[in-house]
Amino acid sequence: MVVKGGSKARKEDVVTREYTVNLHKRLHGCTFKKKAPKAIKEIRKFAQKAMGTTDVRVDVKLNKQIWSRGIRSVPRRIRVRIARKRNDDEDAKEELYSLVTVAEIPDGGLKGLGTQVIDDEV
């Protein structure tokens, strides 16, 4: 398979997407008392892979959502909005970072929702 130079330019764009992360399969076999911390690490890893940035920042509301039912009873699936943004700090190692926030769940539930690109309001 031949990869063209266009894939590098795509990783440089500032973009926002919504994903459904299946935490159930990512936490299968995990010790009860480590489930919520592991869920945060898995969301971080998912965002790293999806956006191609090593600097991933998790929103406080997302953290509260994961921990809302305690350390053991993590939600099976969660809808997240991942935004790749420019780093304003001059001292930063990378020019882009990813911000992961919780997205609102529609009335129909999470079934059938795919990845959606969100147009920025700015």
Side-chain angles (χ1 to χ4, degrees):
M1 188 171 140
V2 178
V3 177
K4 295 184 180 178
S7 63
K8 176 73 173 151
R10 199 177 331 122
K11 293 288 184 189
E12 298 300 317
D13 291 345
V14 175
V15 69
T16 304
R17 294 192 197 110
E18 273 191 10
Y19 296 95
T20 303
V21 182
N22 186 352
L23 293 174
H24 188 66
K25 73 176 183 182
R26 288 175 170 82
L27 300 177
H28 178 71
C30 183
T31 307
F32 275 165
K33 293 294 184 178
K34 297 179 182 177
K35 273 199 174 187
K38 175 108 166 139
I40 298 293
K41 288 177 192 148
E42 288 294 328
I43 289 172
R44 212 178 272 276
K45 193 166 88 172
F46 178 86
Q48 229 172 8
K49 185 178 177 189
M51 290 296 179
T53 60
T54 54
D55 187 6
V56 177
R57 301 170 192 181
V58 177
D59 188 38
V60 177
K61 289 182 182 175
L62 176 62
N63 196 35
K64 292 269 189 197
Q65 180 85 23
I66 297 290
W67 282 84
S68 64
R69 299 188 331 200
I71 196 166
R72 300 189 313 174
S73 303
V74 175
R76 284 182 170 229
R77 284 184 181 84
I78 193 159
R79 189 82 175 157
V80 294
R81 181 174 287 184
I82 307 176
R84 191 188 307 133
K85 297 185 174 184
R86 294 230 172 268
N87 223 340
D88 295 333
D89 190 16
E90 292 85 24
D91 306 341
K93 296 177 187 172
E94 288 193 40
E95 61 179 85
L96 296 170
Y97 69 93
S98 298
L99 178 66
V100 187
T101 57
V102 66
E104 62 277 351
I105 299 171
D107 294 335
L110 295 172
K111 296 284 186 191
L113 293 177
T115 301
Q116 295 175 345
V117 179
I118 307 296
D119 296 328
D120 289 334
E121 295 85 25
V122 178

